[in-house]
Amino acid sequence: MMTETPKARPPLLVVISAPSGAGKTTLCRRLLEDFRELRLSISTTTRAPRGQEQHGREYYFTKREDFEAQIQAGEFAEWALVHGNYYGTSKKVVAESLARGQSVLLDIDVQGTESLKKSFGDRCVTIFIAPPSIEELEQRLRGRGTDSEESIRRRMENARGELAQSHKFDHQLVNDEFEQTYSRLHAIVSRALRGDR
Ligand code: ADP
Ligand code: 5GP
């Protein structure tokens, strides 16, 4: 009897968005450890490196004029101005990964998520991470110890607007207790990668 070859599942864009300080970087790191099939999309940004961040690991750090040249050259799948700096996703990385059948993990803002949904539609599974409260968000930003007062102020100002858009996402999680949030996130990503959403 012939055994049927399982149909290859189409690769996905797993898009995670959250107000700054809600914990998405920490959650994404764990996802990358547990889902070896996911490739992280490393964005390009004009903001300065923070803490231990390294060029090519957390971001490709670049000058404003170089970023603008990349926009002109059509190198971004999406880009946005966030908290006064440019951030963009490489079109090449996304296209190459999808062509290879590899799913991509993206940590991008709400505007970027909307742009990717327009370009990639059903290929996107979108997850919004909310903090338990605005007060806790501020404490986490301060506790991280990597942002200037001006940067914290700007991020807090933007947080309310971002929270108001959480309904546009396929899934919403409140990052209260970390392990519990991670286990919910793990279940969502696991189901999506199995093609069962
Ligand atoms: P983001 O990437 O969304 O800006 P981070 O992952 O850098 O946020 O998290 C901001 C800070 O909050 C970090 O110091 C991180 O260790 C901490 N943090 C993340 N999740 C939780 C949680 N569930 N409870 C308490 N602190 C958390
Ligand atoms: P941070 O400066 O804290 O690393 O990131 C600030 C915000 O920019 C976060 O909401 C993060 O998700 C978002 N961001 C990071 N990379 C990109 C990107 O390539 N495109 C867009 N649109 N947002 C991004």
Side-chain angles (χ1 to χ4, degrees):
M1 204 173 82
M2 261 179 47
T3 40
E4 216 174 301
T5 317
K7 246 205 251 158
R9 288 177 297 276
L12 295 178
L13 301 183
V14 178
V15 187
I16 302 208
S17 206
S20 185
K24 66 188 169 311
T25 305
T26 318
L27 289 162
C28 285
R29 274 201 203 120
R30 275 286 285 279
L31 282 178
L32 290 166
E33 284 168 19
D34 288 347
F35 294 93
R36 294 287 168 179
E37 65 268 50
L38 275 180
R39 174 178 186 186
L40 177 69
S41 160
I42 300 171
S43 299
T44 300
T45 184
T46 58
R47 89 148 158 75
R50 202 163 62 200
Q52 303 299 308
E53 287 180 337
Q54 282 177 23
H55 181 74
R57 191 179 65 184
E58 282 79 11
Y59 284 106
Y60 296 107
F61 296 99
T62 191
K63 291 193 299 243
R64 231 178 151 86
E65 55 267 35
D66 292 341
F67 193 103
E68 285 166 353
Q70 283 183 269
I71 297 176
Q72 291 307 319
E75 290 179 19
F76 294 117
E78 65 73 35
W79 63 270
L81 256 179
V82 193
H83 318 308
N85 281 299
Y86 283 123
Y87 292 81
T89 301
S90 159
K91 195 184 267 179
K92 189 163 170 246
V93 166
V94 171
E96 279 178 3
S97 299
L98 293 181
R100 223 185 293 129
Q102 183 169 36
S103 294
V104 185
L105 178 65
L106 302 106
D107 163 351
I108 63 173
D109 87 323
V110 176
Q111 308 168 71
T113 307
E114 288 298 295
S115 306
L116 287 188
K117 270 169 41 182
K118 284 198 189 105
S119 309
F120 294 95
D122 279 358
R123 282 283 177 105
C124 299
V125 51
T126 61
I127 306 160
F128 188 88
I129 313 286
S133 67
I134 283 282
E135 293 73 24
E136 172 67 18
L137 184 69
E138 186 161 359
Q139 274 186 22
R140 285 188 194 169
L141 272 177
R142 291 189 185 285
R144 186 161 74 184
T146 51
D147 301 71
S148 67
E149 197 52 42
E150 163 63 13
S151 162
I152 292 176
R153 191 189 56 73
R154 217 173 183 150
R155 283 158 195 267
M156 289 306 298
E157 267 174 25
N158 290 338
R160 282 187 178 81
E162 290 164 326
L163 287 166
Q165 300 195 61
S166 63
H167 65 278
K168 295 181 177 166
F169 287 71
D170 299 325
H171 305 272
Q172 293 84 15
L173 292 173
V174 177
N175 184 16
D176 196 344
E177 201 281 307
F178 184 84
E179 289 303 326
Q180 202 174 70
T181 311
Y182 181 68
S183 125
R184 291 189 182 129
L185 179 63
H186 186 284
I188 291 169
V189 173
S190 192
R191 270 201 309 277
L193 293 176
R194 278 203 313 265
D196 171 21
R197 332 183 224 161

